[in-house]
Amino acid sequence: MVNEGFSNRRLAAADDRAGAGTVPDAPIFDLGEYWRLAVKHRLVIIGAFLGAILISAAATLLTTPIYTAQATLQIERESSRVLNVDDVAPRESAYSGEEFFQTQYGLLKSRSLAERVIDSLGLASSNDFIQAMGGTAPERGDRTAAEFAAARREMVIGITMSNFAVSPVRGSRLVAISFDSPDPALAARLTNAYAENFIQANLDRRFESSSYAREFLEEQIAQTKAKLEVTERSLVEYAANQGIINITEPGADGAGQTQSLAGTNLSALNASLAAAQAQRIAAEQRWRQARASPLTSLPEVIQNPTIQRLTEERARLDAQYQQNDRVYQADWPAQRQLRGQIEELDRQITEVSRGILRSIEGQYVVAANNERALQAQVDGLKGEVLDLRDRSVQYNILQRELDTSRTQYDALLERYKEISVTGTVTSNNISIVDRAQVPGSPSKPNLMINLVLAAMLGLGLGALAAFVLEALDETLATPDDAESKLGLPILGVIPLLGREETPVEALDDLRSPFSEAYYSLRTALQFSTPDGVPSSILVTSSRPAEGKSTTAYATALNLARIGKRVLLIDGDLRNPSMHRIVGVENGVGMSNLLSGAATLAQAVQATREPNLSLVSSGPLPPNPAELWGGDRLRDLLVELQREFDNVVIDGPPVLGFADSPLLAAAVGGTVFVLESKGTRRAQARGAMRRLLIGHGRLLGGVLTKFNTKTTQYGGYDYAYDYNYGADRSRGGRDRAA
């Protein structure tokens, strides 16, 4: 049945495009088009869907089930402190958070930890683990026992590392570790072994760090002890040789102090003088450095809180000034104000720096005066203690060296004791939260997930195959195909006749779907132009046997049945058939009229339909294109339009001949006939292009031989529409209209 829902706007738009001489572009697919494609290629989509489901189910059922055992660890950035002493190794809190945890994940996945697990469980000593994991044990061949053991160990390491996984719990310090194995007990065993060995490896690394420190301290203690003994012997020997005898007096802290009375005074003065000299030297050095260096580079200036505050304020104002300088001019009030503030800060910084410089100079003057005063006092006692001083210089040197060595020895010994204690009480920052349990069900393959994925894949492949088949399908099976692939409005859809029916018989039955379809075509032609049905119509197709002659006859017949005076012309001067359809003689016809060998009265024949006349093709000319190309055709059409309301021309096929483009240029409109599932898109587009190049006006298309029993279009079955109101069944095999 013809699609009577075409609007005037759509038909007019198609006429405008046809008049412009261009083949209309196909419209964009909509959701309904996708659904039509799915219905059209449903067998392909269903086949891909079921195939993917079956393959996935078979693969899942044939795959060895894998069990996953999982344990949870807690990794703290800072380990618990058992003793209030500093560790020798760097504390893990020094790491940044992300870097620290990524390091721990890398350690969990490391080869060294895998080797430790394998060694702790003895997995590399036999082929049992490899076979339990579904692998094939290596062949020994010509290899030695050591080489074979190494090869098996490498295989065990590879299997272990490939089946172990680390999954950090986002936003926490928890880490989930898991192991996959066909044996659930083995999976739990390996997971727990990983957790335990990771903790032990962490403790071992800490213990090794403390052992390195103990060895270093032992060497330093031995060296310091030997030096201390040598210094003590030297001191005692020098005192005996020089006759230096000192009296030991109890001190306030209980320790004995050895010194003579003169020596005590001189020692006190010497100590004070030494301190004054040191202060003067230091002050002098600072003063010289301060004079030789820029003020802003002095440590006292840099470390001064006031300078730091002023410098930060100046940097902030300078940054603000530089930022504003990109937008505002230098003489902008805010900019001038910022410059003034910066200059004031520079002045304050300079003033404070100069004050610091004067302070350094004052310290130097005070230190120098203090040194001179002490030096005068020492000179006063010089005569009294000169001899003792000369003899005590070396003694004091040896005494100081002894004291230094003893202090260093005590410090090293104390540190060695602390490290010995921390080495035996090793702290740990890793703990097991949940141990791995033997899994009760396999983790993979998951039948439901695989089936869902296979279903999605199957549907995707089926849809892709449907699009590919549609893209490769050049046939025009439905009206939507013709409209989308050609951009041509379909004026009518003609059903496929049964095997025992002829087009003439079907048209005589006014209630038949065949007649109803052509009634709808006539109705569509009445809305194809603003003036109704064109006075002259050409019916053609891209190739022979597409139903154009039947369409031309049915169009003329239906126009005649509504009271129009209609002339049907057989314009196929190469293979005429209209005289056989109507049942008249073909002695005088169109070829005679075009050549001027006959008059119109001689060529026009009456038919059994009262308002329908026929001009047959007449004798076949040697070159029909020359007859159609002359001026006689246009003159003849003008003359016929005065005698008849409508002139319908059954033209020859377009492809391969020049007749139809010439006819299309002369008539008021052209109806293009397409055979359902017979006309290919390239043929139709080529034929339409030739008609439009010849300035023909395409009114629309007619889809013939449409199988209503097997084709659904537009969301409903066409067979229902065509059989509406029919009281007889149509059987037998179908044949072409």
Side-chain angles (χ1 to χ4, degrees):
M1 179 178 182
V2 73
N3 189 352
E4 295 185 3
F6 283 124
S7 63
N8 293 335
R9 177 186 57 80
R10 189 170 182 180
L11 292 174
D15 289 340
D16 294 340
R17 291 194 298 267
T22 59
V23 178
D25 295 332
I28 300 176
F29 283 173
D30 54 9
L31 186 59
E33 179 65 17
Y34 287 117
W35 174 250
R36 186 191 67 80
L37 291 179
V39 173
K40 179 179 179 180
H41 300 287
R42 58 187 178 276
L43 295 180
V44 174
I45 297 176
I46 294 174
F49 175 77
L50 295 178
I53 291 291
L54 293 177
I55 292 174
S56 175
T60 302
L61 295 176
L62 294 176
T63 301
T64 302
I66 301 298
Y67 295 84
T68 301
Q70 180 174 299
T72 304
L73 302 179
Q74 181 178 357
I75 302 177
E76 298 290 345
R77 291 181 55 193
E78 229 181 291
S79 57
S80 302
R81 300 190 64 178
V82 180
L83 298 176
N84 190 22
V85 295
D86 293 334
D87 293 334
V88 176
R91 296 187 61 81
E92 290 168 347
S93 58
Y95 289 95
S96 62
E98 184 64 23
E99 180 182 358
F100 169 75
F101 286 107
Q102 290 299 328
T103 301
Q104 299 302 312
Y105 306 152
L107 292 175
L108 278 168
K109 298 177 183 178
S110 65
R111 177 187 175 91
S112 61
L113 182 59
E115 292 177 343
R116 189 179 184 119
V117 172
I118 291 169
D119 294 338
S120 65
L121 299 178
L123 301 180
S125 60
S126 65
N127 296 331
D128 295 342
F129 175 74
I130 299 176
Q131 295 172 355
M133 294 298 296
T136 303
E139 298 291 339
R140 177 168 181 175
D142 297 334
R143 291 179 289 190
T144 63
E147 293 174 345
F148 175 68
R152 182 169 57 193
R153 179 181 176 83
E154 287 297 324
M155 179 175 288
V156 172
I157 292 174
I159 294 174
T160 303
M161 295 182 66
S162 62
N163 287 277
F164 178 72
V166 178
S167 303
V169 179
R170 185 178 297 275
S172 70
R173 298 178 181 179
L174 300 178
V175 180
I177 60 174
S178 60
F179 192 86
D180 298 335
S181 173
D183 185 354
L186 181 61
R189 183 184 174 195
L190 263 294
T191 304
N192 289 326
Y194 255 101
E196 294 167 357
N197 281 274
F198 180 60
I199 295 175
Q200 188 61 42
N202 181 64
L203 296 176
D204 290 346
R205 284 194 300 272
R206 292 174 178 270
F207 183 79
E208 290 173 0
S209 298
S210 63
S211 66
Y212 294 150
R214 286 197 304 273
E215 293 176 0
F216 173 76
L217 288 176
E218 287 173 356
E219 295 178 359
Q220 294 296 317
I221 288 172
Q223 295 175 6
T224 305
K225 183 178 180 181
K227 182 179 180 181
L228 179 61
E229 293 175 354
V230 172
T231 305
E232 286 180 347
R233 289 190 182 96
S234 299
L235 180 62
V236 173
E237 183 180 356
Y238 181 80
N241 293 334
Q242 297 296 327
I244 299 175
I245 301 174
N246 295 323
I247 301 174
T248 302
E249 298 178 356
D253 56 355
Q257 296 182 356
T258 304
Q259 186 63 272
S260 63
L261 182 58
T264 300
N265 294 333
L266 184 58
S267 177
L269 290 175
N270 282 334
S272 299
L273 180 59
Q277 288 176 344
Q279 292 177 0
R280 190 267 306 166
I281 293 172
E284 182 179 4
Q285 183 64 25
R286 289 197 300 271
W287 169 240
R288 290 180 179 178
Q289 183 179 359
R291 288 190 303 173
S293 304
L295 288 176
T296 56
S297 64
L298 296 178
E300 292 80 358
V301 174
I302 296 175
Q303 298 173 1
N304 185 271
T306 303
I307 294 295
Q308 292 177 352
R309 179 179 58 79
L310 294 175
T311 303
E312 292 176 357
E313 180 66 18
R314 187 193 184 284
R316 183 184 67 79
L317 293 176
D318 186 65
Q320 183 178 358
Y321 180 84
Q322 295 297 331
Q323 183 177 3
N324 293 340
D325 189 53
R326 301 176 183 173
V327 181
Y328 305 105
Q329 297 293 332
D331 55 351
W332 188 56
Q335 290 292 86
R336 291 199 300 270
Q337 182 181 0
L338 287 175
R339 284 199 304 273
Q341 294 176 355
I342 292 172
E343 292 172 357
E344 176 61 22
L345 289 174
D346 289 339
R347 186 192 63 77
Q348 294 179 12
I349 291 173
T350 302
E351 191 66 26
V352 175
S353 300
R354 290 175 179 173
I356 294 173
L357 181 61
R358 289 191 297 270
S359 175
I360 294 174
E361 181 181 6
Q363 292 174 4
Y364 166 64
V365 173
V366 172
N369 293 334
N370 188 29
E371 179 187 5
R372 286 192 294 270
L374 288 174
Q375 185 65 47
Q377 294 180 12
V378 170
D379 292 341
L381 295 175
K382 185 179 299 184
E384 182 180 352
V385 296
L386 183 58
D387 182 60
L388 182 59
R389 180 182 180 185
D390 291 338
R391 290 181 291 141
S392 299
V393 172
Q394 185 62 29
Y395 180 86
N396 292 332
I397 292 174
L398 292 175
Q399 185 65 46
R400 284 193 296 271
E401 185 176 354
L402 176 62
D403 294 340
T404 302
S405 299
R406 183 177 290 111
T407 302
Q408 183 178 2
Y409 178 78
D410 293 339
L412 290 174
L413 191 60
E414 181 67 23
R415 184 58 174 165
Y416 179 78
K417 292 178 180 179
E418 292 176 356
I419 292 177
S420 298
V421 174
T422 58
T424 57
V425 186
T426 306
S427 58
N428 183 34
N429 64 323
I430 302 172
S431 60
I432 300 177
V433 178
D434 293 322
R435 298 184 65 85
Q437 303 297 324
V438 177
S441 59
S443 59
K444 54 185 177 183
N446 191 312
L447 180 60
M448 293 305 300
I449 293 179
N450 289 349
L451 290 180
V452 171
L453 294 177
M456 296 174 62
L457 178 62
L459 290 176
L461 292 177
L464 178 62
F467 278 111
V468 172
L469 292 176
E470 185 67 18
L472 297 177
D473 187 9
E474 289 287 323
T475 61
L476 305 172
T478 64
D480 266 353
D481 283 345
E483 291 185 339
S484 62
K485 295 178 180 180
L486 301 178
L488 180 70
I490 299 302
L491 302 176
V493 180
I494 311 303
L496 183 69
L497 288 178
R499 180 179 180 182
E500 297 178 356
E501 288 183 295
T502 64
V504 176
E505 293 174 351
L507 290 173
D508 290 340
D509 183 4
L510 302 182
R511 300 279 293 174
S512 69
F514 196 74
S515 296
E516 290 289 346
Y518 278 112
Y519 294 158
S520 298
L521 172 61
R522 179 196 64 197
T523 303
L525 286 174
Q526 291 177 345
F527 294 100
S528 62
T529 66
D531 299 328
V533 181
S535 58
S536 56
I537 301 174
L538 169 67
V539 180
T540 185
S541 62
S542 59
R543 58 183 182 83
E546 293 190 69
K548 63 176 182 57
S549 298
T550 300
T551 300
Y553 172 69
T555 301
L557 181 63
N558 282 303
L559 290 173
R561 285 176 177 175
I562 61 174
K564 298 282 187 178
R565 293 175 301 156
V566 182
L567 175 64
L568 177 61
I569 298 176
D570 190 349
D572 191 351
L573 303 185
R574 301 175 186 273
N575 185 22
S577 60
M578 195 59 66
H579 62 280
R580 291 191 296 270
I581 295 175
V582 179
V584 297
E585 296 296 330
N586 190 25
V588 179
M590 198 64 186
S591 60
N592 303 103
L593 290 175
L594 294 175
S595 62
T599 63
L600 188 61
Q602 295 172 337
V604 175
Q605 304 181 59
T607 65
R608 56 193 178 103
E609 186 68 29
N611 295 325
L612 178 62
S613 301
L614 172 70
V615 174
S616 63
S617 64
L620 300 183
N623 191 353
E626 293 183 359
L627 294 178
W628 295 119
D631 296 334
R632 177 62 178 165
L633 173 61
R634 298 183 182 276
D635 297 339
L636 184 61
L637 287 175
V638 172
E639 184 179 356
L640 291 174
Q641 289 171 4
R642 288 197 295 266
E643 299 293 333
F644 298 94
D645 296 324
N646 299 102
V647 177
V648 180
I649 302 176
D650 175 25
V654 177
L655 297 180
F657 308 107
D659 304 12
S660 289
L662 295 173
L663 282 168
V667 299
T670 301
V671 176
F672 192 65
V673 177
L674 305 164
E675 180 185 357
S676 176
K677 297 184 179 180
T679 305
R680 303 185 69 82
R681 176 173 57 181
Q683 295 174 338
R685 292 184 70 87
M688 292 172 59
R689 186 176 295 106
R690 292 194 62 189
L691 292 174
L692 294 175
I693 290 175
H695 302 288
R697 184 183 185 186
L698 285 175
L699 300 176
V702 177
L703 189 66
T704 62
K705 305 179 186 179
F706 185 74
N707 192 341
T708 61
K709 296 180 180 180
T710 61
T711 305
Q712 287 186 340
Y713 164 66
Y716 57 89
D717 196 335
Y718 255 92
Y720 173 82
D721 298 321
Y722 286 141
N723 293 326
Y724 180 74
D727 56 357
R728 62 187 181 90
S729 62
R730 306 178 65 85
R733 296 176 59 188
D734 294 336
R735 64 174 180 170

